[in-house]
Amino acid sequence: MWIRKGLRDMKKGVDSPMPTQVVSNEEFIPRRQTEAQKRVEHLIGEMSAEKSKKLGMDRRSFMASAMGMATCLVASNKVFGKAFDVDEVETMELAANEEKFPKGKYFVIDVQSHFTNGQVLPFRQMEFMKNMGFNLKNDAEAYSFKNFVKEMFYDSETSMVVISGVPTREINKGPDGKVLEGKARTPTGGILPSWLMSQSKKELNAIAGSQRALCQGNLAPNHYWNKAENKADKAATIEQMERELQTYGIDSWKWYCHTDPGQSGGGFQLDDDNAAWFYEESRKRGMKLISVHKGYSYQSRTLGHLANPKDVEKAALNNPDFNFVVYHSAIQHGPNEPDWQKSNQYDPTTGDFEWHKTLMDIKKRNPKINNVYCEIGSFFGVLVVADPVLAMHGMGKNIKHYGSDHVIWGTDCLWWGSPQWVIEAFKKFQISDEMCEKFGYQKITDDDKAKIFGLNAAKLYKVNVKEKRNAFPADTLDRLKTAYLERGGQRSNVAYGWVRADD
């Protein structure tokens, strides 16, 4: 028998802003909570009850605070080993958190943030969420632009967002030959079409009174296809390219090689002829930033192999004036999949796992490549929860091979709710002495974290960080956030999705 995770937690008195159990999206039988997860959950409950009582706080308010998050990290350290640089005093004193991480210490640019065009998706119920502990409603409102602004800005320390594309093909003209606008371009909706990203970017920046949002364009080499001749429809592609660059004002392309919006019968690769033609046309128009989804191959049962990052090598070498941001750091299988470590061919003796290893090997073979960046959305967050040791390997290798100046912050939120828990986890995340000595990793410094949180993305997107830091405190969005917090605004701790009723 299955039961809603939120109802299960309410009955058992579980209230945690850190994942503690596998949750099903109804597509598979929920896995039982592991013994380690049970111990973490028990410790969180035990410690939070004791600490909130001593502080005279209700438990929900305690768990929504930095002290509650510190409590979760301490509990995780006790069970999985020390992956987080967090002290017991931080579980009882807000001042201890604020002293170590003062407000505004990091300029956070989230390059992988999403909402939907009125569609409900299963992400907030997916397996590796494992009781996120937030009020992750799984309805259209939960994925709306309005909730996006709340969770990304009011409920987190995110400074700027890149509204990140989901592959959608726009219809340029109607039957009468007239150019379509807005919703008419995607009559079936589309998860997050380019026109909506652009519209929302402009709306958010207008509300804020400053530049808080950037946006991507969905156009890719296989979006418009001449089926009769089985080749790219270059005229339609250029027409859409001009629209996205000139009308929408996009800041990057977002590609999914393993999807087929133009119904070509296949996907594409970064190093094929169609991509080469696209680079040349985009180069002529001044856009030379490609953000590409790699990894999570299960998203396409027939084309998933095209999410392998092997094609990044030739594309980067042949186009040194372009920058390639490899999303998810190319992890092939996420913790939402059965036997994910085995499927990733994880080797504990080397710390390698697929397809992350493929991405690392590209840099090893070509140490002078300087235009490839490892993005960590749905990479760091899910690994640090599912297996902190694997998170150390992933982040350790990204920094070791590509350098901390080529690792880019992203969270994939609001798929997973507010990104604040991921931000808190990375602030305090550290690679152990043992792992550094054994695998040649380096400790992650404050400077490294500052680069990863936002300074690296700022360079790619030509954002003047000093100018933004000065402007944001006076903008409308910052004032609205202050009012929201002063009136008691906070994240809720209710998880959605399903678990076994007897677990």
Side-chain angles (χ1 to χ4, degrees), residues 84 106-114 151-152 156-164 214 216 291 325-329 373-382 384 391 395 398-399 403-413 416-429 444 448-461:
F84 301 103
Y106 299 113
F107 188 86
V108 182
I109 301 180
D110 193 326
V111 305
Q112 191 174 181
S113 67
H114 317 278
E151 292 194 340
M152 296 303 299
S156 91
E157 295 174 57
T158 302
S159 309
M160 293 183 69
V161 296
V162 177
I163 303 174
S164 183
L214 304 167
Q216 296 174 335
S291 301
V325 181
V326 182
Y327 276 35
H328 312 298
S329 292
Y373 295 77
C374 307
E375 190 269 351
I376 59 175
S378 288
F379 178 81
F380 168 74
V382 300
V384 85
M395 294 304 298
N398 279 354
I399 294 171
S404 63
D405 58 346
H406 278 67
V407 181
I408 306 293
W409 182 254
T411 64
D412 235 350
C413 292
W416 322 127
S418 165
Q420 186 59 28
W421 78 271
V422 196
I423 293 172
E424 292 283 355
F426 188 60
K427 282 181 183 178
K428 298 173 181 177
F429 177 73
I444 305 177
D448 293 335
K449 290 180 180 179
K451 290 176 183 177
I452 293 168
F453 266 132
L455 301 185
N456 294 336
K459 289 181 180 179
L460 287 176
Y461 283 95

Side-chain angles (χ1 to χ4, degrees), residues 17-57:
M18 276 289 284
T20 60
Q21 184 175 0
V22 172
V23 175
S24 171
N25 65 353
E26 301 181 56
E27 293 180 351
F28 52 85
I29 297 173
R31 295 187 214 163
R32 292 195 181 278
Q33 194 175 32
T34 67
E35 289 304 313
Q37 291 165 356
K38 287 179 181 179
R39 292 199 300 275
V40 171
E41 184 177 273
H42 175 75
L43 277 173
I44 290 172
E46 187 179 72
M47 293 164 65
S48 62
E50 176 187 349
K51 293 173 186 298
S52 60
K53 184 177 181 180
K54 284 183 179 179
L55 292 168
M57 298 175 67

